[in-house]
Amino acid sequence: MPREVVPTKTPMPEQDPKERVRNFREVPYGYTEELAIQEALRCLQCKKPTCIAGCPVNIDIPGFIDLVAKGDFLGAARRIKATNLLPAICGRVCPQEEQCEKACVLSKKFESVAIGRLERFVADFERETGQIQRPAIPRRTGKKVAVVGSGPAGLTVAADLIQQGHEVTVFEALHALGGVLVYGIPEFRLPKSILEAEVNFLASLGVQFEPSYVIGKTETVDELLERFDAVFLGVGAGLPHFMRIPGENLNGVYSANEYLTRANLMRAYMFPEWDTPIKKGKNVAVIGGGNTAMDAVRTALRLGAENAYLIYRRSRAEMPARLEEIHHAEEEGVQFRLLENPTRIIGDDKGWVKEIELISMQLGEPDESGRRRPVPIPGSEHRLEVDTVVVAVGQGANPLLISTTPGLKTNRWGYLEVDPETGETSRERVYAGGDIVRGGATVILAMGDGRRAARAIHERIR
Amino acid sequence: MRKIVAKEVLAPGIKKFVIEHPQIARKRQPGQFVIVRVHPEGERFPLTIADADPERGTITLVVQEIGHSTLELGRKEPGDFLMDVVGPLGRPTPIRHYGRVVCMGGGVGVAEIYPVARALKEAGNEVVGIIGARTRELVIMEAEMRSATHQLIVCTDDGSYGVHGLVTRPLQEMIDRAERIDHVFCIGPVPMMKAVAEVTRRPGIPTSVSLNPIMVDGTGMCGACRVTVGGVTRFACVDGPDFDAHEVDFDELMKRLAQYRVEEQMSLEMLRRRIEEAGLARAAS
Ligand SMILES: Cc1cc2nc3c(=O)[nH]c(=O)nc-3n(C[C@H](O)[C@H](O)[C@H](O)COP(=O)(O)OP(=O)(O)OC[C@H]3O[C@@H](n4cnc5c(N)ncnc54)[C@H](O)[C@@H]3O)c2cc1C
Ligand SMILES: Cc1cc2nc3c(=O)[nH]c(=O)nc-3n(C[C@H](O)[C@H](O)[C@H](O)COP(=O)(O)OP(=O)(O)OC[C@H]3O[C@@H](n4cnc5c(N)ncnc54)[C@H](O)[C@@H]3O)c2cc1C
Ligand code: FES
């Protein structure tokens, strides 16, 4: 029966921008049951759905949306969980506009179905109503697997293998579990309570967690191999890049990792009730255009910045950040300084940041990435008064673990080389996935890697 | 959670803790440190591993109470727990046969140079120790240092004990006497390390200092601990903490250490008030 298509996505209620820049609470409130059903009804239930192929883990999208439309929210949640273990997280942070929603048939003429919002809704419904289903765990196999790193890759491996009856221990260098999800992505985008619920769930299934335990230091991979049948490395990227321009060690210059770790993991926004301080700059410049930069600049506003600048060397169209976050940042009053690039940071005599020198850019010919290359315009240097600078220009492979594990093959950027079918590294019984293999990627890709490695590990040890 | 099994006051404001952590006790080498968090709202901060007992599975930390976090740690008692202790972090000090070495410690730095001195002695070096403090009662671990060295010189700034003057004085005298020195290891306040670097620069004596920048994760993830060494940015938590003293930009390090002075003061005041109120409440009940 042909239905009239509503051209736009059902809006999701959100905190007023004026209000939310003064708190760290989550920005979108999420759909109500009515709104979810309303949005689910926009789905055409295509005979040959293209959206599924757009999802890195191939969620049965029309299937779960159909269940939402019928009001069977729990059924929908379970349908998603057959392929995606962390839907409350992916529904919030996946770049849907480039994945499933881009492939949605509706998006050719109208706005796509809000797949991400629906995913989030059903996951929240399941959790908030306390109806998370416990899988039946088979008899213990007696096999043991060590997972290094508790980011989305590691958590996925742990979840899959515990459900196969293996014993799983997750080692994490930081004191909190979740990887970038806990130390990088701020509370206003991904509440810690959601992550905690996921981790507690895994713990309730029997996964052992060892936080504050650095593999390569507290214990080496080779030592783990004596105690465990297999080891999975999901250690992320975790090496902050700097720009190597003069003035980068001035007081008030942060890497995004440090800035976000202080703010999120250490709750510096609660200082002095919590003990870790952070510079609450008046004029803050964040360099970069990815999710990390967006998170940092929006954090700066919430810490009370009067001017929060986002300095990006290309134009808005090339920004790698999620569209929704770019919108949110604009609404909140972030000042976008596009086609500009820092050349040096200038300090006062006490060693504090005072100004940043920028050079204007124009877009030249496309480079290897297919994006037009930013080229500096000679003589266009100019200055901006700032007291805090956050460098968010990407990360590299942290060498801490790799350098203490002989025989691990890396590529020219220092990332681990793995068998694309199994995720196995050059070391037998050692698997890897997520950002340490791909370089800075996404949550869902890290989970996909975890899933594939878990399957290969299971095949091998069962 | 890590249990405190023993505590000792070494000097006013300097306390020694023995903490259960079998893995670190087994693994640690001289020059390495741990990152500690005292309670769930607490900061992450580094402390050198002064000693370890692999059999008992314990490590020893010596802490000087200078601000909020170290004061809170100082109030802990045996039987209490620390929220987290992670390590051993940092590169171990390269221990080998140098010949005749001088190990220098200032203030709480004595606790940090002690494991290095002992290891160097065990590696067959002739070890001269020079330790210093402001005044007699702040001299710590003298007996331990005596056993870890062949010769120990104690200095006090006010002359109340041992040699009157800074630790650089006996070092300079050794150089003036043209005594053989193959390597100097120095841990202490930044101005002391800088002064030692100046003394050994001219005669070209290889000198290592253990830098103490502000740290957060201690694993090379955040970059808070960056220091300029030989004109290049290094991360002290993974590239150090030991560096060639003659290459270090000490002035930059001092500026960076002052980054949170205002906040630290505020945080300390708050803690003092809280302690006072708790004291009053106890007195009233
Ligand atoms: C600020 C920020 C915002 C982002 N926003 C998004 C977004 O909106 N959407 C999206 O899809 N992606 C986003 N990303 C990217 C995404 O977070 C990553 O791709 C993803 O987290 C990678 O997962 P992972 O499991 O490989 O590693 P991580 O999440 O990096 O986790 C690795 C964990 O391993 C631990 N570890 C490292 N070394 C050791 C060791 N030697 N021993 C023990 N533990 C160790 C680390 O402490 C860390 O907790 C963002 C990234 C950042 C930094
Ligand atoms: C590798 C290393 C080993 C160390 N070993 C010892 C030790 O064995 N015993 C000891 O008493 N101290 C040691 N320190 C110094 C100790 O970490 C600081 O004294 C402590 O963090 C101060 O915290 P606070 O809250 O008490 O004081 P605050 O009032 O916060 O700070 C006082 C001063 O300490 C420094 N500092 C503050 N926060 C940090 C931090 N997170 N990391 C590093 N420095 C900081 C700053 O210079 C600051 O001005 C070491 C430092 C490093 C880097
Ligand atoms: S403390 Fe974070 S990189 Fe050294």
Side-chain angles (χ1 to χ4, degrees):
Chain A
M1 198 176 46
R3 245 192 347 238
E4 184 149 348
V5 175
V6 182
T8 55
K9 286 180 183 173
T10 308
M12 181 156 54
E14 330 185 302
Q15 265 198 78
D16 179 345
K18 280 201 274 312
E19 192 56 44
R20 73 188 191 227
V21 293
R22 278 180 273 137
N23 66 55
F24 275 82
R25 289 196 304 273
E26 192 173 14
V27 169
Y29 293 123
Y31 280 156
T32 58
E33 295 180 21
E34 295 72 33
L35 292 173
I37 293 174
Q38 183 184 322
E39 180 63 19
L41 287 170
R42 290 183 66 231
C43 174
L44 299 178
Q45 291 294 319
C46 306
K47 284 262 146 48
K48 287 193 187 128
T50 45
C51 50
I52 298 180
C55 170
V57 298
N58 306 126
I59 292 176
D60 175 9
I61 294 167
F64 100 77
I65 294 183
D66 189 41
L67 290 166
V68 176
K70 293 179 176 136
D72 181 4
F73 307 135
L74 283 181
R78 278 153 205 172
R79 183 67 61 90
I80 299 177
K81 280 197 166 169
T83 42
N84 179 349
L85 299 160
L86 306 172
I89 292 164
C90 292
R92 285 172 166 82
V93 304
C94 273
Q96 288 100 4
E97 76 270 11
E98 293 183 16
Q99 299 177 161
C100 53
E101 295 184 13
K102 189 180 191 176
C104 172
V105 169
L106 266 189
S107 71
K108 292 205 185 94
K109 280 172 81 174
F110 309 112
E111 278 186 13
S112 67
V113 175
I115 301 167
R117 294 174 185 178
L118 289 172
E119 180 185 22
R120 167 188 164 152
F121 167 79
V122 295
D124 286 357
F125 181 89
E126 187 195 32
R127 189 186 64 256
E128 284 163 9
T129 56
Q131 304 188 69
I132 292 187
Q133 207 173 31
R134 280 180 66 91
I137 305 267
R139 275 242 325 262
R140 295 276 166 159
T141 60
K143 300 289 180 176
K144 293 183 184 168
V145 180
V147 172
V148 185
S150 65
L155 292 181
T156 303
V157 172
D160 282 4
L161 290 175
I162 197 87
Q163 294 183 47
Q164 307 274 13
H166 307 302
E167 274 177 51
V168 184
T169 307
V170 178
F171 297 95
E172 168 56 53
L174 292 169
H175 59 260
L177 302 161
V180 169
L181 306 178
V182 65
Y183 78 75
I185 300 183
E187 181 82 11
F188 57 81
R189 213 148 65 78
L190 179 64
K192 306 245 173 317
S193 56
I194 291 176
L195 203 60
E196 265 165 36
E198 295 300 347
V199 169
N200 289 342
F201 179 66
L202 292 183
S204 79
L205 298 183
V207 175
Q208 301 281 324
F209 288 100
E210 288 274 4
S212 294
Y213 205 104
V214 187
I215 302 304
K217 289 289 185 182
T218 318
E219 197 169 351
T220 62
V221 171
D222 286 282
E223 286 164 326
L224 288 182
L225 284 168
E226 290 169 17
R227 299 205 277 141
F228 293 90
D229 297 290
V231 174
F232 175 80
L233 307 177
V235 294
L239 179 78
H241 280 165
F242 285 90
M243 295 172 294
R244 300 178 184 233
I245 58 173
E248 260 183 319
N249 290 349
L250 286 166
N251 290 352
V253 182
Y254 288 98
S255 75
N257 280 358
E258 181 186 355
Y259 195 70
L260 291 169
T261 299
R262 283 182 182 271
N264 299 327
L265 180 66
M266 306 310 295
R267 310 261 173 108
Y269 59 89
M270 312 251 298
F271 181 87
E273 283 86 57
W274 286 56
D275 298 342
T276 305
I278 194 166
K279 275 294 153 197
K280 300 187 173 171
K282 239 196 204 160
N283 301 305
V284 183
V286 175
I287 323 294
N291 285 317
T292 310
M294 225 51 77
D295 284 342
V297 77
R298 295 174 69 201
T299 296
L301 276 180
R302 283 161 174 77
L303 289 171
E306 286 168 20
N307 293 296
Y309 306 104
L310 186 97
I311 297 169
Y312 182 55
R313 62 196 182 128
R314 303 181 202 245
S315 75
R316 191 177 182 286
E318 287 90 17
M319 265 191 198
R322 290 183 70 215
L323 209 54
E324 179 174 339
E325 309 314 334
I326 299 175
H327 283 312
H328 281 151
E330 282 172 339
E331 285 173 357
E332 288 165 10
V334 169
Q335 299 171 50
F336 285 65
R337 312 255 326 197
L338 302 169
L339 290 164
E340 285 187 290
N341 207 27
T343 47
R344 65 187 170 119
I345 306 168
I346 300 152
D348 64 16
D349 51 4
K350 296 237 167 59
W352 282 92
V353 173
K354 191 171 74 171
E355 285 177 307
I356 185 163
E357 185 182 85
L358 306 168
I359 187 161
S360 301
M361 311 288 282
Q362 59 192 5
L363 292 181
E365 294 302 306
D367 58 17
E368 321 79 89
S369 75
R371 298 179 303 173
R372 294 177 63 195
R373 186 197 300 274
V375 198
I377 301 172
S380 66
E381 288 88 351
H382 51 282
R383 291 180 180 191
L384 186 65
E385 202 179 298
V386 292
D387 52 20
T388 309
V389 174
V390 182
V391 183
V393 295
Q395 1 210 331
N398 187 320
L400 189 140
L401 177 135
I402 295 169
S403 66
T404 56
T405 312
L408 273 185
K409 231 195 198 146
T410 54
N411 64 19
R412 66 186 168 114
W413 298 280
Y415 295 112
L416 290 177
E417 278 187 9
V418 297
D419 178 331
E421 299 296 312
T422 61
E424 193 167 20
T425 64
S426 52
R427 285 286 306 268
E428 217 182 321
R429 293 193 288 135
V430 179
Y431 297 75
D435 282 4
I436 191 56
V437 171
R438 297 171 176 272
T442 61
V443 173
I444 192 79
L445 288 170
M447 290 178 58
D449 288 354
R451 169 132 287 171
R452 192 179 41 214
R455 206 178 300 131
I457 292 171
H458 174 65
E459 282 304 315
R460 167 150 207 158
I461 65 177
R462 73 184 171 149
Chain B
M1 299 269 274
R2 298 292 170 177
K3 191 171 171 186
I4 298 172
V5 294
K7 174 185 182 179
E8 190 187 327
V9 178
L10 301 183
I14 303 183
K15 292 168 182 169
K16 177 171 126 179
F17 289 94
V18 179
I19 291 158
E20 262 174 18
H21 201 312
Q23 292 89 347
I24 299 181
R26 217 176 310 130
K27 267 276 144 62
R28 72 95 205 193
Q29 293 175 59
Q32 290 189 297
F33 62 92
V34 289
I35 296 260
V36 173
R37 202 169 54 121
V38 179
H39 57 85
E41 293 83 31
E43 266 186 298
R44 296 171 63 96
F45 62 97
L47 295 172
T48 303
I49 305 165
D51 209 346
D53 184 338
E55 252 104 77
R56 285 177 63 208
T58 59
I59 58 170
T60 302
L61 306 176
V62 176
V63 57
Q64 178 169 30
E65 298 172 336
I66 55 163
H68 187 122
S69 302
T70 48
L71 261 167
E72 274 190 327
L73 174 54
R75 289 166 60 79
K76 292 286 170 191
E77 297 298 334
D80 288 347
F81 287 83
L82 299 184
M83 199 62 216
D84 307 286
V85 178
V86 49
L89 300 170
R91 296 189 180 194
T93 305
I95 301 296
R96 53 186 163 86
H97 188 263
Y98 295 88
R100 187 164 189 261
V101 299
V102 178
C103 289
M104 312 183 60
V108 72
V110 177
E112 302 166 42
I113 199 73
Y114 164 65
V116 175
R118 201 176 57 187
L120 285 166
K121 189 177 176 194
E122 279 163 16
N125 291 283
E126 184 189 342
V127 182
V128 179
I130 306 180
I131 62 174
R134 275 203 323 280
T135 186
R136 175 174 199 145
E137 64 171 350
L138 292 175
V139 175
I140 58 166
M141 299 179 71
E142 185 182 342
E144 285 91 335
M145 276 304 283
R146 216 167 274 290
S147 75
T149 55
H150 295 90
Q151 180 196 347
L152 183 74
I153 304 167
V154 184
C155 312
T156 50
D157 296 3
D158 63 359
S160 52
Y161 184 58
V163 176
H164 188 171
L166 305 175
V167 285
T168 41
R169 185 163 160 198
L171 179 68
Q172 184 66 59
E173 287 166 1
M174 287 171 76
I175 292 169
D176 293 344
R177 285 194 301 267
E179 281 186 34
R180 176 174 163 199
I181 305 176
D182 295 301
H183 204 110
V184 172
F185 296 85
C186 171
I187 309 181
V190 184
M192 165 191 162
M193 294 192 284
K194 184 180 173 181
V196 168
E198 287 319 312
V199 169
T200 59
R201 189 187 304 276
R202 177 91 50 91
I205 302 168
T207 302
S208 307
V209 284
S210 176
L211 301 185
N212 60 339
I214 294 177
M215 294 188 176
V216 182
D217 63 308
T219 63
M221 183 272 280
C222 77
C225 62
R226 36 199 213 285
V227 288
T228 302
V229 182
V232 179
T233 295
R234 311 291 299 276
F235 291 2
C237 71
V238 284
D239 300 326
D242 290 354
F243 292 100
D244 178 347
H246 301 142
E247 301 265 292
V248 171
D249 184 342
F250 288 105
D251 295 335
E252 179 187 272
L253 175 61
M254 276 187 255
K255 285 178 186 159
R256 288 186 63 81
L257 280 168
Q259 275 189 90
Y260 296 101
R261 196 147 282 168
V262 179
E263 289 83 358
E264 282 156 3
Q265 206 51 48
M266 183 201 291
S267 172
L268 187 57
E269 287 305 316
M270 254 190 60
L271 178 67
R272 288 233 171 90
R273 247 194 335 266
R274 222 159 56 209
I275 293 173
E276 221 167 83
E277 277 161 18
L280 290 177
R282 204 172 318 126
S285 66

